[in-house]
Amino acid sequence: MKTILPFMVGAVIGLIGSAQARPLDAIRSTGVLGLCAHPNSLPFANKAGDPPGFQVELGQALARELGVSLELDWIITRYQMRSAGCDILLDVIADREAQGETNLRISKPYYRTGVVLAVPPASKLTSFKSLDGHTKVGVLVGSFAAMVISQRRVPTSTFGFEIDSLEAVANHEIDAAAVTPTAASYFNLTHPDKALRILDRDESEANLNWNVAVGMVRPDDSLRDAIDGALERLRADGTVERIYRRYGVILQSPK
Amino acid sequence: MKKHLGYFSLPVAVAIGATLVASSAFAQTVDTARIEAAGQNDWLTYHGSYKSHHYSPLAQINTSNVGNLGVAWMHIPGKSTRGVQSMPLVADGVLYYTGSYSRTFALNGATGELIWHYFPELDEALIKRQTHSPYNRGVALGEGKVYVGTVDGRLIALDAKTGRVAWDTKLIDSQKLTVGFTGAPLYAKGLVIIGAQGGEWPGRGPIFAIDAATGKKKWEFLTVAGTDEAMKTWGGDSWRTGGGGGWMPGTYDSETNTLLWGTANPAPLYDWSGADYKTQGARPGDNLYTSSVIGLDIDTGKLKFYHQELPHDAWDFDSAVGEFVMLERDGQKLIVHPNKGGFIFVYDRNLAVKNVWRLVQNINFVKDIDPKTGALIGRRDFTAGKVTDPPLCPFIGGGISWNAGSYSPKTGLYYKIGQEWCMTLDVQKTTPVTSPQVQLNIGADFKMAPPPGGEIYGHLDARDPVTGVKKWEVRYPEPPLGSVLSTAGNLVFVPDSRGTIHAYDAETGTELWNHNNGTGHQGGIVSYSVGGKQYIAVTAGFGGMLADEYGPNFGGIYKSMPRDDGMLVVFSLK
């Protein structure tokens, strides 16, 4: 499976509860849109608020479009989402398989992402295809990228954190890091002295590319329509792009 | 982390008076020699002594009078999220124990009066993000200090007389790695040794040795790929995320100057590589030194010898659990160590396998383990998908859980809890949660299931520790999760999950006494003596990853059993 937000698969005992998400009328009558976000996951979200993360900023923009205020539920796992009572999540994979796992309904996608290679500025690597038996690539443990790259008989080095993988490239321990463009872009923003070259995504490998949408917890049709409409307006006026760019992320259009 | 003098002034004032009452010999220091001698009035280290017998040589309470046992005093630690899981320690009439959040108490062992308490300031936001917290399993004593680990990655030394912080050393970046310390430290030879959590978390399972006097780190051994040889057993550099924490305390063998420690399973927990585990999956290879027992030179932290009980553990049956019972048989010095999979390993003092025997009936993750070599026979490795027929045995809680058994040198018997339960699995190729802070990576959904053709139950066995020959057995409808204590009074105490503490005749298994503490047990039990009077101290309070399974699976009393609550109950003869 693929995730952008770090929602744990596997069993966590004791985190049970029923979703409390509401239809659009209820959201408008209470004046609050609930967003579930990770409390410590910059550039996605940050409970400390400085900066707040692009999910918080986009959530605020969506709430404004709906004429309500944003309320944050800080969660770590998808199980917590069930008892948190939020209405939406951001940066959710717009994929039927992923949707099935989270039981979320999704909006129209609003950008495309996946896995890219981050390499040293002077690297001769140009794409996934240029990897070979002599190039060592940093991958996240158990990730699709780990499986796909290993199947190509490319040596891998396993990491628990994208930033560790990017640091290893910067320190020339490995030749490339297979990471999300979001992580690589934010690394370059926050480590200008170690900035890496980010290669283009390889659309030929379906598992390494995906669209991103707003995930909605049991919405009614009105809420889905309202979210889609708000997103369209925020994309059209450049708000979405501006928010992500503040975190070093250049958005690409969904496919 | 910090104590505020104004807030603590009253307890400290009480402490001085109570200490004088408790013992005039308080100034006696606890050192390696004293722990080695294991004086009968005390309980100086997690496993009772370096020999790990969990046995008290006290006999005032015995088979003839145990029926007169009653509650002497109780202590409520408060804020007991996930129950009370620690092993009390006792020195010179003062009882030390911990509750959740590493809250540490020093109590008059005769009366329960508070001498001092210490509540560390912890990162609450971090604790909320942790899956295995905020419980704590106890302290170590040494050099006039009390040592306690925290779930935010610190080891803290407290003055044993006052509870004031002597030093506070940060050892793990818990903000990044999520894990910290839940197990008790071990004091030996001027060092405090403690292992990080981290079976299912992508770290490298460090074991730290800290100077007991200064708090400075002396050495660190990485249980994942701690040597060049071991690094080759992790395909694709998966050693960077191997897990393998030594989360429970080991022990010290002074004759060989060796620290003995058990290590946890590798991460991710359930690998999907199937029979190709040597070359495929998230962590190809044997994954040294996970699910192993290791011997480290205590002075340097260098690996001396090891035995990997489960190469490429794909079942979460790690070796971090349990005691290292040291005993002699036919002129041989042996170590008996349980594995979570339900087997008991018998080693010589260099960790060479001498025997392997089954404590638990329902085991099918392997067909067997060779008793001469320790080699696994007929492994059951999984690919992604459902595992239902037959279910995997034992359940993830283990055929043997983390709490300790007991060896009585008087009867020559080893008293150990076995757990007969299984589970269905849906193994998944997960994308682990790693950014920005790792989360538990199980890699499967699982559900408790009865053993094929039978029912779930637990049992206390009295067995020969070397051969495994059974002398008697007591059964329980649900597996007990607490520690076991045997005494020279020919008694075996078992605190069970329903909340009843039982006392059995050590020779026959006949129940002689019981008492309902009103909540399940999942912590330690010890015996000690103050002023010539023998006491039995047990922690009570249920909750946590395993205990929370009891309500939905067993119903009954577990549905109404309090959570996030607990106490220390101390018994003496009426």
Side-chain angles (χ1 to χ4, degrees), chain A residues 1-3 6-11 13 38-41 76 79 136 140-142 147 156-161 164 173, chain B residues 129 175-177 236-238 240-241 272 428-436 438-440 442 444-446 545 548-549:
Chain A
M1 76 141 234
K2 299 178 285 191
T3 56
F7 287 126
M8 182 173 66
V9 177
I13 300 157
H38 194 288
N40 183 23
S41 60
I76 308 298
Y79 294 91
K136 191 168 230 182
L140 278 190
V141 58
M147 285 186 269
T156 58
S157 186
T158 304
F159 289 83
F161 305 90
D164 285 351
E173 293 170 25
Chain B
R129 294 199 292 270
Q175 283 294 343
K176 185 174 176 186
L177 293 170
D237 289 0
S238 51
R240 294 183 192 273
T241 56
W272 58 86
Q428 299 163 345
K429 294 181 181 178
T430 58
T431 302
V433 178
T434 57
S435 181
V438 298
Q439 291 296 318
L440 183 71
I442 294 178
D445 284 326
F446 60 85
M545 297 291 278
D548 286 348
E549 288 279 273

Short mmCIF file of all heavy atoms in Angstrom, two decimals, chain A residues 1-3 6-11 13 38-41 76 79 136 140-142 147 156-161 164 173, chain B residues 129 175-177 236-238 240-241 272 428-436 438-440 442 444-446 545 548-549:
data_model
loop_
_atom_site.label_atom_id
_atom_site.label_comp_id
_atom_site.label_asym_id
_atom_site.label_seq_id
_atom_site.Cartn_x
_atom_site.Cartn_y
_atom_site.Cartn_z
N MET A 1 0.82 -1.19 0.00
CA MET A 1 0.00 0.00 0.00
C MET A 1 0.86 1.25 0.00
O MET A 1 2.03 1.20 0.31
CB MET A 1 -0.92 -0.01 1.21
CG MET A 1 -0.29 0.34 2.53
SD MET A 1 -1.38 1.36 3.49
CE MET A 1 -0.36 2.72 3.85
N LYS A 2 0.27 2.35 -0.33
CA LYS A 2 1.02 3.59 -0.37
C LYS A 2 0.37 4.60 0.57
O LYS A 2 -0.84 4.67 0.66
CB LYS A 2 1.00 4.17 -1.78
CG LYS A 2 1.63 3.26 -2.81
CD LYS A 2 1.55 3.83 -4.18
CE LYS A 2 0.18 3.73 -4.78
NZ LYS A 2 0.14 4.04 -6.22
N THR A 3 1.17 5.34 1.22
CA THR A 3 0.61 6.44 2.02
C THR A 3 1.50 7.65 1.86
O THR A 3 2.68 7.55 1.60
CB THR A 3 0.57 6.12 3.52
OG1 THR A 3 1.88 5.79 3.93
CG2 THR A 3 -0.40 5.04 3.86
N PRO A 6 1.59 9.60 7.26
CA PRO A 6 2.10 8.38 7.86
C PRO A 6 1.08 7.67 8.74
O PRO A 6 1.17 7.68 9.94
CB PRO A 6 3.30 8.88 8.69
CG PRO A 6 2.97 10.29 9.01
CD PRO A 6 2.14 10.80 7.88
N PHE A 7 0.13 7.04 8.11
CA PHE A 7 -0.85 6.29 8.90
C PHE A 7 -0.41 4.85 9.03
O PHE A 7 -0.12 4.19 8.05
CB PHE A 7 -2.22 6.35 8.25
CG PHE A 7 -2.85 7.69 8.43
CD1 PHE A 7 -3.30 8.39 7.34
CD2 PHE A 7 -2.93 8.26 9.67
CE1 PHE A 7 -3.87 9.64 7.49
CE2 PHE A 7 -3.49 9.51 9.84
CZ PHE A 7 -3.95 10.19 8.74
N MET A 8 -0.42 4.38 10.22
CA MET A 8 0.06 3.04 10.48
C MET A 8 -0.93 2.00 10.00
O MET A 8 -2.11 2.08 10.27
CB MET A 8 0.29 2.86 11.97
CG MET A 8 0.84 1.51 12.32
SD MET A 8 1.28 1.46 14.04
CE MET A 8 -0.32 1.60 14.77
N VAL A 9 -0.40 1.01 9.29
CA VAL A 9 -1.17 -0.18 9.00
C VAL A 9 -0.80 -1.16 10.09
O VAL A 9 0.05 -0.88 10.90
CB VAL A 9 -0.81 -0.71 7.61
CG1 VAL A 9 -1.55 -1.99 7.31
CG2 VAL A 9 -1.16 0.34 6.59
N GLY A 10 -1.38 -2.29 10.17
CA GLY A 10 -1.05 -3.19 11.26
C GLY A 10 -1.95 -2.86 12.43
O GLY A 10 -2.66 -1.88 12.44
N ALA A 11 -1.94 -3.70 13.39
CA ALA A 11 -2.93 -3.60 14.45
C ALA A 11 -2.44 -2.78 15.61
O ALA A 11 -1.34 -2.95 16.09
CB ALA A 11 -3.28 -5.00 14.92
N ILE A 13 -4.01 -2.06 19.27
CA ILE A 13 -5.11 -2.52 20.10
C ILE A 13 -5.66 -1.37 20.91
O ILE A 13 -4.93 -0.60 21.48
CB ILE A 13 -4.62 -3.63 21.02
CG1 ILE A 13 -4.11 -4.80 20.17
CG2 ILE A 13 -5.70 -4.09 21.96
CD1 ILE A 13 -3.15 -5.67 20.89
N HIS A 38 -1.09 15.12 11.58
CA HIS A 38 -0.02 14.64 12.46
C HIS A 38 0.59 15.85 13.19
O HIS A 38 0.86 16.87 12.57
CB HIS A 38 1.03 13.93 11.62
CG HIS A 38 2.01 13.12 12.41
ND1 HIS A 38 2.98 13.69 13.20
CD2 HIS A 38 2.17 11.77 12.53
CE1 HIS A 38 3.69 12.75 13.77
NE2 HIS A 38 3.23 11.57 13.39
N PRO A 39 0.83 15.73 14.48
CA PRO A 39 1.29 16.91 15.23
C PRO A 39 2.76 17.27 15.01
O PRO A 39 3.19 18.35 15.43
CB PRO A 39 1.08 16.49 16.69
CG PRO A 39 1.15 15.00 16.67
CD PRO A 39 0.60 14.57 15.35
N ASN A 40 3.50 16.40 14.35
CA ASN A 40 4.95 16.62 14.30
C ASN A 40 5.50 16.12 12.98
O ASN A 40 6.30 15.19 12.94
CB ASN A 40 5.60 15.88 15.49
CG ASN A 40 7.09 16.12 15.56
OD1 ASN A 40 7.59 17.11 15.04
ND2 ASN A 40 7.80 15.21 16.20
N SER A 41 5.04 16.70 11.89
CA SER A 41 5.40 16.14 10.59
C SER A 41 5.64 17.22 9.55
O SER A 41 5.09 17.15 8.45
CB SER A 41 4.30 15.18 10.10
OG SER A 41 3.08 15.88 9.96
N ILE A 76 -2.00 10.36 15.26
CA ILE A 76 -0.80 9.68 14.79
C ILE A 76 -1.18 8.55 13.83
O ILE A 76 -0.53 8.33 12.83
CB ILE A 76 -0.01 9.07 15.96
CG1 ILE A 76 0.25 10.12 17.03
CG2 ILE A 76 1.29 8.45 15.48
CD1 ILE A 76 1.08 11.27 16.57
N TYR A 79 -6.24 4.81 13.10
CA TYR A 79 -7.21 4.35 14.09
C TYR A 79 -7.70 5.51 14.95
O TYR A 79 -8.85 5.57 15.34
CB TYR A 79 -6.60 3.25 14.96
CG TYR A 79 -6.29 2.02 14.19
CD1 TYR A 79 -5.05 1.83 13.60
CD2 TYR A 79 -7.26 1.03 14.00
CE1 TYR A 79 -4.77 0.70 12.86
CE2 TYR A 79 -7.00 -0.10 13.26
CZ TYR A 79 -5.74 -0.27 12.69
OH TYR A 79 -5.47 -1.38 11.95
N LYS A 136 24.09 2.53 -5.30
CA LYS A 136 23.37 2.17 -4.07
C LYS A 136 22.33 3.25 -3.77
O LYS A 136 22.66 4.44 -3.71
CB LYS A 136 24.35 2.03 -2.91
CG LYS A 136 23.72 1.42 -1.68
CD LYS A 136 24.77 1.05 -0.66
CE LYS A 136 24.58 -0.38 -0.20
NZ LYS A 136 25.54 -0.78 0.82
N LEU A 140 13.14 3.62 1.91
CA LEU A 140 12.47 3.48 3.21
C LEU A 140 12.17 2.01 3.46
O LEU A 140 11.74 1.30 2.55
CB LEU A 140 11.18 4.28 3.24
CG LEU A 140 11.30 5.77 3.52
CD1 LEU A 140 9.93 6.36 3.77
CD2 LEU A 140 12.20 6.05 4.70
N VAL A 141 12.35 1.59 4.67
CA VAL A 141 12.15 0.19 5.01
C VAL A 141 10.73 -0.25 4.64
O VAL A 141 9.75 0.43 4.94
CB VAL A 141 12.42 -0.06 6.51
CG1 VAL A 141 11.55 0.81 7.39
CG2 VAL A 141 12.27 -1.51 6.87
N GLY A 142 10.65 -1.35 3.93
CA GLY A 142 9.36 -1.92 3.58
C GLY A 142 8.55 -1.15 2.57
O GLY A 142 7.37 -1.43 2.37
N MET A 147 10.92 -2.32 -2.83
CA MET A 147 10.64 -3.54 -3.59
C MET A 147 10.94 -3.35 -5.07
O MET A 147 11.58 -4.18 -5.70
CB MET A 147 9.17 -3.95 -3.38
CG MET A 147 8.92 -4.56 -2.02
SD MET A 147 7.25 -5.18 -1.83
CE MET A 147 6.44 -3.75 -1.17
N THR A 156 20.37 -1.68 -2.45
CA THR A 156 19.64 -0.68 -1.66
C THR A 156 20.25 -0.55 -0.27
O THR A 156 20.92 -1.45 0.22
CB THR A 156 18.16 -1.05 -1.51
OG1 THR A 156 18.07 -2.34 -0.90
CG2 THR A 156 17.44 -1.05 -2.84
N SER A 157 19.98 0.57 0.31
CA SER A 157 20.35 0.80 1.70
C SER A 157 19.08 1.27 2.40
O SER A 157 18.46 2.25 1.99
CB SER A 157 21.45 1.86 1.77
OG SER A 157 21.91 1.99 3.09
N THR A 158 18.70 0.56 3.43
CA THR A 158 17.39 0.79 4.05
C THR A 158 17.46 1.87 5.14
O THR A 158 18.35 1.83 5.97
CB THR A 158 16.88 -0.51 4.68
OG1 THR A 158 16.87 -1.51 3.67
CG2 THR A 158 15.48 -0.33 5.24
N PHE A 159 16.49 2.74 5.13
CA PHE A 159 16.43 3.82 6.13
C PHE A 159 15.06 3.85 6.78
O PHE A 159 14.06 3.47 6.17
CB PHE A 159 16.72 5.18 5.48
CG PHE A 159 18.15 5.36 5.07
CD1 PHE A 159 18.60 4.86 3.85
CD2 PHE A 159 19.07 5.98 5.90
CE1 PHE A 159 19.92 4.99 3.47
CE2 PHE A 159 20.39 6.12 5.52
CZ PHE A 159 20.83 5.63 4.30
N GLY A 160 15.04 4.35 7.98
CA GLY A 160 13.77 4.53 8.66
C GLY A 160 13.16 5.90 8.42
O GLY A 160 11.97 6.10 8.62
N PHE A 161 13.98 6.82 8.00
CA PHE A 161 13.52 8.20 7.82
C PHE A 161 14.00 8.72 6.49
O PHE A 161 15.16 8.52 6.11
CB PHE A 161 14.07 9.10 8.93
CG PHE A 161 13.76 8.61 10.31
CD1 PHE A 161 14.63 7.76 10.96
CD2 PHE A 161 12.60 8.98 10.93
CE1 PHE A 161 14.34 7.30 12.23
CE2 PHE A 161 12.30 8.52 12.20
CZ PHE A 161 13.17 7.68 12.85
N ASP A 164 17.08 10.86 6.86
CA ASP A 164 18.35 10.13 7.03
C ASP A 164 18.89 9.68 5.69
O ASP A 164 20.10 9.69 5.44
CB ASP A 164 18.15 8.92 7.93
CG ASP A 164 18.01 9.30 9.39
OD1 ASP A 164 18.25 10.49 9.71
OD2 ASP A 164 17.66 8.43 10.20
N GLU A 173 27.41 8.73 1.31
CA GLU A 173 27.40 7.33 1.77
C GLU A 173 26.69 6.45 0.75
O GLU A 173 26.97 5.26 0.63
CB GLU A 173 26.67 7.22 3.11
CG GLU A 173 27.38 7.90 4.26
CD GLU A 173 26.49 7.95 5.50
OE1 GLU A 173 25.59 7.10 5.63
OE2 GLU A 173 26.70 8.86 6.32
N ARG B 129 2.33 10.02 21.57
CA ARG B 129 2.64 9.46 20.25
C ARG B 129 3.23 8.06 20.35
O ARG B 129 3.41 7.38 19.35
CB ARG B 129 3.63 10.38 19.51
CG ARG B 129 3.06 11.73 19.16
CD ARG B 129 3.87 12.40 18.07
NE ARG B 129 5.19 12.78 18.49
CZ ARG B 129 5.53 13.95 19.02
NH1 ARG B 129 4.60 14.86 19.22
NH2 ARG B 129 6.76 14.22 19.35
N GLN B 175 12.39 11.75 20.30
CA GLN B 175 11.55 12.54 19.40
C GLN B 175 11.58 11.95 18.00
O GLN B 175 10.58 11.94 17.29
CB GLN B 175 12.02 13.99 19.35
CG GLN B 175 11.63 14.81 20.55
CD GLN B 175 10.12 15.00 20.66
OE1 GLN B 175 9.38 14.79 19.69
NE2 GLN B 175 9.65 15.37 21.83
N LYS B 176 12.71 11.42 17.63
CA LYS B 176 12.84 10.86 16.30
C LYS B 176 12.50 9.36 16.29
O LYS B 176 11.75 8.88 15.45
CB LYS B 176 14.26 11.07 15.80
CG LYS B 176 14.50 10.64 14.38
CD LYS B 176 15.89 11.02 13.96
CE LYS B 176 16.21 10.51 12.58
NZ LYS B 176 17.60 10.76 12.22
N LEU B 177 13.05 8.66 17.26
CA LEU B 177 12.93 7.20 17.24
C LEU B 177 11.70 6.68 17.98
O LEU B 177 11.43 5.49 17.98
CB LEU B 177 14.18 6.58 17.85
CG LEU B 177 15.46 6.79 17.03
CD1 LEU B 177 16.69 6.37 17.82
CD2 LEU B 177 15.38 6.02 15.73
N GLY B 236 20.47 -5.56 2.01
CA GLY B 236 20.06 -4.21 1.64
C GLY B 236 20.30 -3.19 2.72
O GLY B 236 19.54 -2.23 2.82
N ASP B 237 21.33 -3.38 3.51
CA ASP B 237 21.62 -2.45 4.62
C ASP B 237 20.42 -2.29 5.55
O ASP B 237 20.23 -1.22 6.16
CB ASP B 237 22.01 -1.06 4.09
CG ASP B 237 23.39 -1.06 3.46
OD1 ASP B 237 24.02 -2.12 3.42
OD2 ASP B 237 23.81 0.02 3.00
N SER B 238 19.59 -3.32 5.64
CA SER B 238 18.41 -3.19 6.50
C SER B 238 18.79 -3.10 7.98
O SER B 238 17.92 -2.86 8.82
CB SER B 238 17.45 -4.37 6.27
OG SER B 238 18.12 -5.60 6.35
N ARG B 240 20.09 -0.70 9.25
CA ARG B 240 19.83 0.67 9.72
C ARG B 240 18.50 0.77 10.46
O ARG B 240 18.29 1.71 11.22
CB ARG B 240 19.78 1.62 8.51
CG ARG B 240 21.09 1.80 7.77
CD ARG B 240 20.88 2.82 6.67
NE ARG B 240 21.97 2.88 5.72
CZ ARG B 240 23.05 3.65 5.87
NH1 ARG B 240 23.18 4.41 6.93
NH2 ARG B 240 24.00 3.66 4.97
N THR B 241 17.61 -0.17 10.21
CA THR B 241 16.26 -0.10 10.78
C THR B 241 15.86 -1.41 11.47
O THR B 241 14.70 -1.78 11.47
CB THR B 241 15.25 0.21 9.66
OG1 THR B 241 15.38 -0.80 8.65
CG2 THR B 241 15.50 1.57 9.04
N TRP B 272 7.29 -10.61 5.12
CA TRP B 272 6.47 -11.32 4.13
C TRP B 272 7.32 -12.12 3.14
O TRP B 272 6.87 -12.49 2.08
CB TRP B 272 5.62 -10.29 3.36
CG TRP B 272 6.45 -9.26 2.68
CD1 TRP B 272 7.03 -9.35 1.45
CD2 TRP B 272 6.83 -7.99 3.20
NE1 TRP B 272 7.74 -8.21 1.18
CE2 TRP B 272 7.64 -7.36 2.23
CE3 TRP B 272 6.56 -7.32 4.39
CZ2 TRP B 272 8.18 -6.09 2.43
CZ3 TRP B 272 7.10 -6.07 4.58
CH2 TRP B 272 7.90 -5.46 3.62
N GLN B 428 0.75 -8.15 5.90
CA GLN B 428 0.64 -7.10 4.88
C GLN B 428 2.00 -6.50 4.57
O GLN B 428 2.83 -6.35 5.47
CB GLN B 428 -0.29 -5.98 5.41
CG GLN B 428 -1.69 -6.46 5.70
CD GLN B 428 -2.46 -5.48 6.59
OE1 GLN B 428 -1.88 -4.60 7.19
NE2 GLN B 428 -3.76 -5.67 6.64
N LYS B 429 2.17 -6.16 3.31
CA LYS B 429 3.37 -5.44 2.93
C LYS B 429 3.14 -3.97 3.26
O LYS B 429 2.65 -3.21 2.44
CB LYS B 429 3.67 -5.62 1.44
CG LYS B 429 4.03 -7.04 1.06
CD LYS B 429 4.32 -7.12 -0.42
CE LYS B 429 4.66 -8.54 -0.82
NZ LYS B 429 4.90 -8.68 -2.25
N THR B 430 3.47 -3.61 4.44
CA THR B 430 3.14 -2.26 4.90
C THR B 430 4.18 -1.25 4.47
O THR B 430 5.32 -1.59 4.20
CB THR B 430 3.06 -2.22 6.43
OG1 THR B 430 4.31 -2.64 6.95
CG2 THR B 430 1.97 -3.11 6.94
N THR B 431 3.72 -0.02 4.42
CA THR B 431 4.66 1.09 4.35
C THR B 431 4.80 1.61 5.76
O THR B 431 3.88 2.17 6.32
CB THR B 431 4.11 2.20 3.44
OG1 THR B 431 3.87 1.65 2.16
CG2 THR B 431 5.12 3.32 3.32
N PRO B 432 5.94 1.41 6.37
CA PRO B 432 6.06 1.80 7.77
C PRO B 432 5.92 3.30 7.96
O PRO B 432 6.25 4.08 7.08
CB PRO B 432 7.48 1.35 8.14
CG PRO B 432 7.93 0.49 7.05
CD PRO B 432 7.17 0.86 5.83
N VAL B 433 5.46 3.66 9.12
CA VAL B 433 5.40 5.06 9.49
C VAL B 433 6.76 5.44 10.03
O VAL B 433 7.19 4.95 11.07
CB VAL B 433 4.33 5.27 10.58
CG1 VAL B 433 4.31 6.72 11.01
CG2 VAL B 433 2.99 4.83 10.08
N THR B 434 7.44 6.28 9.31
CA THR B 434 8.80 6.61 9.74
C THR B 434 9.06 8.11 9.80
O THR B 434 10.02 8.53 10.43
CB THR B 434 9.82 6.01 8.78
OG1 THR B 434 9.54 6.48 7.47
CG2 THR B 434 9.79 4.51 8.81
N SER B 435 8.25 8.87 9.12
CA SER B 435 8.56 10.28 9.02
C SER B 435 7.43 11.12 9.61
O SER B 435 6.28 10.91 9.24
CB SER B 435 8.75 10.65 7.55
OG SER B 435 9.08 11.99 7.40
N PRO B 436 7.74 12.00 10.48
CA PRO B 436 9.06 12.35 11.00
C PRO B 436 9.43 11.55 12.23
O PRO B 436 10.52 11.70 12.75
CB PRO B 436 8.89 13.82 11.36
CG PRO B 436 7.48 13.88 11.85
CD PRO B 436 6.71 12.89 11.03
N VAL B 438 9.13 7.58 13.94
CA VAL B 438 8.73 6.22 13.63
C VAL B 438 7.59 5.75 14.52
O VAL B 438 7.45 6.19 15.66
CB VAL B 438 9.90 5.24 13.77
CG1 VAL B 438 10.99 5.59 12.80
CG2 VAL B 438 10.43 5.21 15.19
N GLN B 439 6.82 4.88 13.98
CA GLN B 439 5.75 4.26 14.76
C GLN B 439 5.87 2.75 14.67
O GLN B 439 6.53 2.21 13.77
CB GLN B 439 4.38 4.71 14.25
CG GLN B 439 4.09 6.18 14.53
CD GLN B 439 4.00 6.49 16.00
OE1 GLN B 439 3.41 5.75 16.77
NE2 GLN B 439 4.61 7.60 16.41
N LEU B 440 5.23 2.12 15.61
CA LEU B 440 5.21 0.66 15.67
C LEU B 440 4.89 0.08 14.30
O LEU B 440 3.93 0.48 13.67
CB LEU B 440 4.12 0.27 16.67
CG LEU B 440 3.91 -1.18 16.99
CD1 LEU B 440 5.06 -1.71 17.80
CD2 LEU B 440 2.62 -1.32 17.78
N ILE B 442 3.99 -3.34 12.80
CA ILE B 442 3.69 -4.75 13.01
C ILE B 442 3.65 -5.50 11.68
O ILE B 442 4.12 -6.61 11.57
CB ILE B 442 2.35 -4.90 13.77
CG1 ILE B 442 2.51 -4.32 15.18
CG2 ILE B 442 1.93 -6.35 13.84
CD1 ILE B 442 1.27 -4.36 16.01
N ALA B 444 1.02 -6.56 10.11
CA ALA B 444 -0.06 -7.55 10.01
C ALA B 444 -1.21 -7.13 10.91
O ALA B 444 -1.02 -6.44 11.91
CB ALA B 444 0.44 -8.92 10.43
N ASP B 445 -2.40 -7.54 10.52
CA ASP B 445 -3.52 -7.51 11.45
C ASP B 445 -3.57 -8.89 12.10
O ASP B 445 -3.28 -9.90 11.45
CB ASP B 445 -4.84 -7.25 10.71
CG ASP B 445 -4.96 -5.78 10.33
OD1 ASP B 445 -4.48 -4.94 11.10
OD2 ASP B 445 -5.51 -5.50 9.26
N PHE B 446 -3.93 -8.93 13.36
CA PHE B 446 -3.96 -10.23 14.02
C PHE B 446 -5.13 -10.29 14.99
O PHE B 446 -5.64 -9.27 15.43
CB PHE B 446 -2.65 -10.51 14.76
CG PHE B 446 -2.32 -9.51 15.82
CD1 PHE B 446 -2.83 -9.62 17.10
CD2 PHE B 446 -1.48 -8.45 15.54
CE1 PHE B 446 -2.52 -8.70 18.07
CE2 PHE B 446 -1.17 -7.52 16.51
CZ PHE B 446 -1.68 -7.64 17.78
N MET B 545 -0.91 -3.12 25.87
CA MET B 545 -1.12 -3.80 24.59
C MET B 545 -1.68 -5.22 24.76
O MET B 545 -2.55 -5.64 24.02
CB MET B 545 0.21 -3.87 23.82
CG MET B 545 0.77 -2.53 23.43
SD MET B 545 -0.19 -1.67 22.17
CE MET B 545 0.41 -2.46 20.69
N ASP B 548 -5.09 -5.32 27.36
CA ASP B 548 -6.29 -4.79 26.73
C ASP B 548 -6.98 -5.82 25.84
O ASP B 548 -8.12 -5.65 25.43
CB ASP B 548 -5.96 -3.54 25.92
CG ASP B 548 -5.71 -2.34 26.81
OD1 ASP B 548 -6.01 -2.42 28.01
OD2 ASP B 548 -5.19 -1.32 26.31
N GLU B 549 -6.29 -6.89 25.50
CA GLU B 549 -6.90 -7.96 24.72
C GLU B 549 -7.85 -8.82 25.56
O GLU B 549 -8.68 -9.54 25.02
CB GLU B 549 -5.80 -8.88 24.15
CG GLU B 549 -5.01 -8.27 23.02
CD GLU B 549 -5.76 -8.38 21.71
OE1 GLU B 549 -5.61 -9.41 21.04
OE2 GLU B 549 -6.51 -7.46 21.36
#
